[in-house]
């Protein structure tokens, strides 16, 4: 079995490794408060290293946070869209992986299909990072955990309410609930529920995860409220989604059911007036902008772990 450290899903990490990654992200952020954004960290631990980034899907936060993260770690990032590479002309992901393994030290791939990332990693001799797939979004969750702990303290024992689509970000929250011992209440329309096999696996491992179609039941007394856009890239059933999701919109009335000091999170981009109102997204309980910034520190910690620096 390969001993390369791929970062493909939170479920594949030990609790100790996940904790180490989050702690590293906190420490890296604290060490460079008020520094210019592109100034390398004092130790520049990835000096001389190169990261290739492959985007089958568009990105703002993932792309910029990985590129700035590599600059801060002392390394360099190379950006590749699928259409700019031989992947767009039919080269297999395995062959692309074999070639890039000879040229760079790690690869981040944001893919349409999770299986593509698994196939890429199997053929790669260097660490592969899941930058988002249809199944999961593990990098996002590292930033979310950071943001929660900055305002709420240790995430262990906290109650997190997920409202809306049981999508890839929701799946990564399910994976993390088992590793870091927080309570996760998921409220979705019946036709857009979280993946039942992921919920069952988390429960079997001892995670406190519950699912419901009742948004107010899920949010009652929650320490953290999280939602995401109702129509993601690749979804073709917009009309059905727009009809199903309004009862899960996070507005002031919905937030009043959460704990008084509850934190609101959204991984962005937000569709204002749909899954969240302006008053919540821009309000004093919103951590969405810290969450976006924390993608940089989270990506840096993931890279450090993948390259054996943790």
């Amino acid at each position: 079995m390969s001993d390369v450290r791929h970062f493909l899903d939170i479920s594949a990490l030990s609790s100790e490794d996940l904790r180490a990654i989050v702690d590293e992200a906190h420490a890296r952020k604290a060490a460079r408060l008020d520094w210019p954004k592109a100034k390398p960290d004092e130790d520049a631990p990835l000096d001389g290293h190169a990261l290739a980034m492959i985007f089958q899907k568009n990105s703002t936060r993932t792309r910029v946070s990985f590129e700035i993260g590599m600059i801060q770690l002392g390394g360099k990032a190379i950006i590749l869209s699928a259409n700019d590479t031989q992947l767009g002309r039919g080269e297999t992901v395995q062959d692309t992986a074999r070639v890039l393994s000879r040229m760079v030290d790690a690869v981040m791939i944001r893919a349409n299909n999770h299986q593509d990332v698994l196939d890429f990693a199997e053929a790669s001799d260097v660490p592969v990072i899941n930058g988002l797939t249809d199944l999961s979004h593990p990098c996002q969750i590292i930033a979310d955990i950071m943001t929660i702990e900055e305002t709420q303290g240790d995430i262990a024992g906290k109650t997190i309410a997920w409202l809306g689509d049981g999508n890839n970000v929701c799946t990564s929250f399910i994976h993390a609930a088992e590793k870091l011992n927080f309570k996760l209440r998921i409220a979705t329309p019946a036709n857009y529920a979280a993946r039942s096999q992921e919920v069952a696996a988390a429960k079997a491992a001892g995670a406190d995860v519950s699912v419901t179609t009742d948004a107010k039941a899920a949010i009652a007394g929650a320490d953290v409220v999280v939602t995401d856009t109702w129509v993601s890239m690749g979804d073709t059933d917009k009309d059905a989604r727009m009809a199903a999701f309004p009862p899960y919109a996070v507005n002031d009335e919905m937030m009043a059911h959460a704990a008084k000091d509850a934190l609101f999170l959204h991984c962005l981009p937000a569709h204002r007036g749909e899954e969240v109102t302006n008053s919540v997204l821009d309000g004093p309980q919103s951590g969405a902008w810290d969450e976006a910034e924390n993608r940089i520190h989270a990506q840096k910690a993931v890279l450090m772990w993948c390259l054996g620096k943790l």
Side-chain angles (χ1 to χ4, degrees):
M1 179 180 290
S2 170
D3 58 359
V4 177
R5 276 184 166 183
H6 301 301
F7 183 82
L8 303 180
D9 263 321
I10 298 295
S11 58
L13 296 175
S14 68
S15 297
E16 291 76 17
D17 281 346
L18 178 55
R19 185 70 258 169
I21 291 170
V22 174
D23 288 346
E24 177 72 9
H26 282 305
R28 291 262 161 206
K29 181 177 183 179
R32 54 176 301 119
L33 290 176
D34 300 324
W35 283 24
K37 302 296 191 297
K39 180 178 178 179
D41 291 354
E42 285 190 349
D43 58 348
L46 297 190
D47 181 25
H49 289 71
L51 169 74
M53 301 193 290
I54 300 173
F55 290 93
Q56 291 182 337
K57 286 188 171 182
N58 295 337
S59 169
T60 299
R61 278 151 291 276
T62 298
R63 173 174 172 168
V64 176
S65 60
F66 266 107
E67 187 165 5
I68 290 294
M70 278 300 287
I71 291 171
Q72 292 183 0
L73 291 171
K76 296 186 183 299
I78 301 166
I79 299 168
L80 304 167
S81 76
N83 290 333
D84 291 335
T85 70
Q86 297 300 335
L87 280 173
R89 299 175 62 192
E91 184 176 56
T92 68
V93 294
Q94 292 92 339
D95 288 351
T96 300
R98 293 181 183 105
V99 171
L100 291 182
S101 294
R102 303 293 184 96
M103 298 179 175
V104 300
D105 301 289
V107 177
M108 189 288 297
I109 179 167
R110 185 174 171 95
N112 293 316
N113 300 308
H114 194 73
Q115 188 61 48
D116 284 348
V117 176
L118 299 180
D119 292 343
F120 196 104
E122 186 174 0
S124 176
D125 294 326
V126 299
V128 175
I129 299 169
N130 173 2
L132 177 144
T133 70
D134 56 332
L135 174 68
S136 60
H137 198 357
C139 291
Q140 178 65 56
I141 300 307
I142 302 295
D144 291 2
I145 294 167
M146 271 189 76
T147 311
I148 291 167
E149 294 193 333
E150 287 174 341
T151 58
Q152 308 278 329
D154 191 339
I155 195 171
K158 297 294 186 297
T159 298
I160 297 173
W162 174 277
L163 272 57
D165 190 6
N167 63 8
N168 49 0
V169 184
C170 180
T171 297
S172 289
F173 262 111
I174 294 169
H175 293 162
E178 172 206 335
K179 305 296 181 181
L180 295 182
N181 297 315
F182 59 84
K183 300 176 183 177
L184 179 62
R185 301 179 190 156
I186 303 168
T188 70
N191 291 338
Y192 299 97
R195 292 171 178 263
S196 58
Q197 63 271 38
E198 306 298 336
V199 173
K203 286 184 173 180
D208 188 345
V209 177
S210 60
V211 297
T212 179
T213 58
D214 186 339
K216 290 181 180 176
I219 201 174
D223 301 297
V224 183
V225 179
V226 193
T227 192
D228 196 356
T229 182
W230 294 341
V231 183
S232 298
M233 287 182 289
D235 290 331
T236 57
D237 54 345
K238 180 178 179 180
D239 290 345
R241 285 173 171 272
M242 296 304 290
F245 283 110
Y248 303 87
V250 182
N251 50 34
D252 291 325
E253 190 275 334
M254 185 69 81
M255 283 295 291
H257 293 274
K260 185 177 180 181
D261 59 349
L263 175 70
F264 171 77
L265 294 181
H266 191 306
C267 63
L268 306 174
H271 290 229
R272 294 169 178 261
E274 293 180 7
E275 74 272 8
V276 62
T277 58
N278 289 339
S279 60
V280 172
L281 183 62
D282 297 328
Q285 291 175 264
S286 176
W289 317 114
D290 292 328
E291 183 183 9
E293 177 197 337
N294 284 339
R295 293 294 304 276
I296 297 174
H297 312 293
Q299 323 297 34
K300 290 169 66 179
V302 169
L303 285 159
M304 292 285 286
W305 179 82
C306 285
L307 291 167
K309 304 293 185 181
L310 293 184

